[in-house]
Amino acid sequence: QICLSLVKLLFYLAHSPLGSIVLLDFQPRQFVMVDGNLKVTDMDDASTEELSCKEDNDCTLNFPTKIFPLKCSVVGKCEGINEKKNLFNAYRYFFTYLLPHSAPPALRPLLSDILNATGDLRYGINETLRAFEKVLHLYKSGLYLQKRPLLLKDYISLKGFRTVEGEDYKCWPSYSHLGCLLSIHSPEEAAAICNSQVQCQSFIVTQHRTWTGRPLASFQSSWTDLIPDTNAVVYIKRTASSGERL
């Protein structure tokens, strides 16, 4: 969410009515999240000036770990230098820390492609935004899910119930530090996640949703202490419930 919001912001800066705008003091502390969108807190160090040049050798974009040679345009300006400076800063301050983590395994290669392409400046801001929107579409639609055996049949579902909230086993990347709370596309995906975790014996799907509209599921090591909840469904492994009375 943070990276996508940042890319949308940089897309606007690259195509603003004033021209391509560069953030000269590009640091994470210069941004805040407001209603799920990334905002710049200080525009004092923003500029529309692009480096003047006479030849390509005048257009070198220098960073502490990388140097990028750019082209000198016919009007004597280094082509796209403001856009590229913003994009590489987004890569080194945000993408490298946020993109490799928390995505479903099937989507990680796509995010790795974005990371590598922006890190080498092979993507401009237009290509980067398209790549992010593709990943988001796959994530929201569930199209990233690979064909696999149907596992939900191995669970008993009880509508209108959930387990008593409490600290349980933890997983990554959980929305709660007290247990294993993950977003899912469907109960079928939740069943696959539960089957992949040794501790998991049940999971609860509620009506709480993430910013992408995906429901949250809580994965738990037991299924006892059920309490009524009209907005929840608890799924219990048949092997866990065998010999027990529901």
Side-chain angles (χ1 to χ4, degrees):
Q1 182 180 13
I2 293 172
C3 292
L4 175 61
S5 187
L6 176 58
V7 168
K8 288 180 177 179
L9 173 61
L10 297 188
F11 179 86
Y12 173 79
L13 294 179
H15 301 285
S16 83
L18 300 176
S20 183
I21 299 175
V22 63
L23 302 177
L24 299 175
D25 186 19
F26 198 115
Q27 299 283 342
R29 64 173 180 267
Q30 299 283 36
F31 301 89
V32 294
M33 290 292 285
V34 180
D35 297 328
N37 295 307
L38 208 65
K39 305 285 187 181
V40 183
T41 61
D42 186 3
M43 293 293 290
D44 289 345
D45 294 311
S47 173
T48 58
E49 292 294 321
E50 291 199 308
L51 187 64
S52 298
C53 58
K54 293 183 178 179
E55 57 183 24
D56 290 349
N57 289 336
D58 298 328
C59 296
T60 302
L61 188 54
N62 292 292
F63 290 97
T65 58
K66 285 192 176 183
I67 298 175
F68 298 98
L70 304 180
K71 296 289 185 181
C72 182
S73 70
V74 293
V75 296
K77 298 289 183 180
C78 295
E79 287 185 359
I81 190 168
N82 287 352
E83 174 188 328
K84 293 179 185 297
K85 186 177 292 186
N86 283 341
L87 190 54
F88 190 78
N89 277 327
Y91 158 81
R92 65 177 180 146
Y93 287 120
F94 288 89
F95 297 172
T96 53
Y97 297 104
L98 300 177
L99 284 188
H101 311 291
S102 77
L107 291 178
R108 289 174 192 167
L110 297 178
L111 293 177
S112 180
D113 288 344
I114 294 175
L115 192 65
N116 293 332
T118 52
D120 295 334
L121 286 184
R122 287 184 284 109
Y123 279 2
I125 191 62
N126 295 355
E127 295 86 353
T128 303
L129 180 57
R130 283 197 296 269
F132 267 101
E133 289 178 335
K134 176 183 177 181
V135 174
L136 180 63
H137 171 67
L138 294 173
Y139 185 61
K140 292 174 68 173
S141 65
L143 291 173
Y144 68 91
L145 294 170
Q146 300 171 348
K147 290 185 178 180
R148 62 182 74 183
L150 298 179
L151 302 172
L152 199 60
K153 65 182 187 306
D154 298 328
Y155 289 77
I156 297 169
S157 65
L158 296 174
K159 295 181 180 180
F161 289 93
R162 64 175 174 83
T163 57
V164 176
E165 292 183 5
E167 190 167 346
D168 206 320
Y169 77 90
K170 299 172 176 61
C171 66
W172 175 261
S174 177
Y175 283 82
S176 170
H177 67 281
L178 296 176
C180 184
L181 184 65
L182 304 174
S183 75
I184 59 169
H185 176 259
S186 64
E188 186 64 52
E189 182 183 16
I193 294 172
C194 189
N195 276 26
S196 70
Q197 298 173 346
V198 176
Q199 306 98 315
C200 186
Q201 295 298 314
S202 66
F203 61 89
I204 304 156
V205 179
T206 70
Q207 291 188 347
H208 296 295
R209 295 181 179 272
T210 68
W211 66 281
T212 59
R214 288 163 56 99
L216 289 173
S218 176
F219 298 85
Q220 301 185 345
S221 59
S222 67
W223 58 271
T224 56
D225 299 325
L226 296 179
I227 58 175
D229 186 340
T230 57
N231 296 320
V233 182
V234 60
Y235 294 84
I236 304 166
K237 280 184 177 179
R238 293 183 182 276
T239 54
S241 64
S242 60
E244 301 287 343
R245 296 182 62 186
L246 294 180

